[in-house]
Amino acid sequence: MADALSARRRVFKKEAREVLCFRANWISVLMALFMLFFFLAAARYFSDCLYYALSLSGLIAGDFALADEVYDAASGVLLFLLLSPLYPGIVSYLYDLCRTKKSGGARVPITEVFCFYSGLEQAVRGWAVSFLRLTALIPLLFAYVGFVFLEDLYLPSIAGLPTQVTAVIFEVLIYAGTVLLIFTAMFMSLRAEFFVFFTVTRPELPISSCIRLSGNMMKRRAGEGIHLILSFVPLFILSVLSAGILFFIYFLPYYLFTFLIFCAAVTTEADA
């Protein structure tokens, strides 16, 4: 079973590399990702500039700390609504690059990144996709909080045990809980990948149907999907050690193409 999963994983990754190197796809994807990050940074910058302008104008008075919190929350929601359709848009663009590689069709215009701004229904789908993707990070946030803060707490003796023993027990529980939360995050991330795939490839389906289908795919292929995610850990660590340069120019597009191909293969097998 493990050999079969490894063989399928190698096939998915090989096909992802072929799509990435087909024509000028690598440069096109880098331009699309750069455009995405540029919009995110520019939107945040102009949001901060607006707040500073309001502060200097005297329109904000009273408790400035409270005003900061209110403005950060409001601008965060607004930026999410404005920018989140970019995420499924770039996934749609990458999926069309995959299809072009197989069919040998014409080049895909990079403007497809903005396809989820075409109407309110598309924007709502973009919001749902981005929200579900963000929820996959919540277990990692809990793991970080537990690891950083709870580990340093003073532990009194429990049931007469020495403090050193209770400290060891507590650390084991913290590490075990962290590992559990990390695997929970991977399961949620995998379901988000399927949800994004169905949202992009089957626009005729309502969001509720996409969620249901992603859950069904999870039940069938959760083990294979987790195996595929874990196979990217060494490359991810190397990307972090490269100060994020390798992450942007290679890891991220490679990862996205691999999971698009994986989701397409699993969906085709389920429909057969």
Side-chain angles (χ1 to χ4, degrees), residues 121-136:
E121 181 180 354
Q122 290 294 89
V124 171
R125 295 173 76 89
W127 298 336
V129 165
S130 299
F131 179 78
L132 188 60
R133 164 56 66 194
L134 289 176
T135 57

Side-chain angles (χ1 to χ4, degrees), residues 4-241:
L5 291 179
S6 298
R8 283 172 59 88
R9 182 195 68 202
R10 287 192 292 270
V11 170
F12 296 145
K13 288 188 170 184
K14 179 176 180 294
E15 189 172 346
R17 291 192 297 270
E18 291 175 351
V19 174
L20 191 58
C21 297
F22 180 68
R23 291 178 180 172
N25 283 353
W26 201 330
I27 302 300
S28 299
V29 171
L30 290 182
M31 290 180 60
L33 292 175
F34 175 79
M35 185 168 57
L36 174 63
F37 287 118
F38 173 80
F39 271 94
L40 293 174
R44 185 61 191 177
Y45 174 77
F46 284 114
S47 174
D48 291 340
C49 289
L50 177 60
Y51 179 72
Y52 292 140
L54 292 175
S55 301
L56 294 175
S57 67
L59 295 177
I60 299 177
D63 191 345
F64 283 96
L66 179 60
D68 287 345
E69 295 179 1
V70 172
Y71 184 82
D72 286 342
S75 62
V77 173
L78 182 60
L79 290 177
F80 174 81
L81 295 177
L82 289 176
L83 300 176
S84 57
L86 285 172
Y87 173 57
I90 199 168
V91 173
S92 177
Y93 174 67
L94 297 179
Y95 178 69
D96 281 348
L97 289 180
C98 291
R99 293 197 302 175
T100 301
K101 165 64 172 58
K102 291 183 178 181
S103 62
R107 294 178 60 86
V108 182
I110 198 171
T111 51
E112 187 177 341
V113 172
F114 302 100
C115 64
F116 276 78
Y117 289 97
S118 60
L120 181 60
E121 181 180 354
Q122 290 294 89
V124 171
R125 295 173 76 89
W127 298 336
V129 165
S130 299
F131 179 78
L132 188 60
R133 164 56 66 194
L134 289 176
T135 57
L137 301 177
I138 293 177
L140 294 179
L141 177 62
F142 278 109
Y144 174 80
V145 172
F147 185 79
V148 172
F149 294 103
L150 298 182
E151 186 182 31
D152 296 329
L153 289 178
Y154 173 76
L155 298 174
S157 298
I158 300 176
L161 293 176
T163 302
Q164 293 83 354
V165 175
T166 56
V168 170
I169 294 175
F170 188 77
E171 286 199 16
V172 169
L173 292 176
I174 287 295
Y175 282 107
T178 301
V179 171
L180 179 62
L181 288 172
I182 289 174
F183 273 94
T184 302
M186 286 193 291
F187 274 99
M188 295 177 67
S189 178
L190 183 59
R191 181 164 187 174
E193 296 289 354
F194 279 114
F195 179 62
V196 175
F197 178 80
F198 287 121
T199 301
V200 167
T201 60
R202 300 186 180 181
E204 75 281 359
L205 294 178
I207 294 177
S208 57
S209 297
C210 293
I211 294 176
R212 178 177 53 80
L213 287 173
S214 63
N216 291 338
M217 291 298 104
M218 269 292 300
K219 294 177 182 178
R220 297 179 180 181
R221 298 292 184 174
E224 184 177 8
I226 296 299
H227 188 267
L228 187 58
I229 291 175
L230 291 175
S231 69
F232 279 98
V233 171
L235 184 58
F236 176 76
I237 294 174
L238 186 61
S239 300
V240 173
L241 295 178

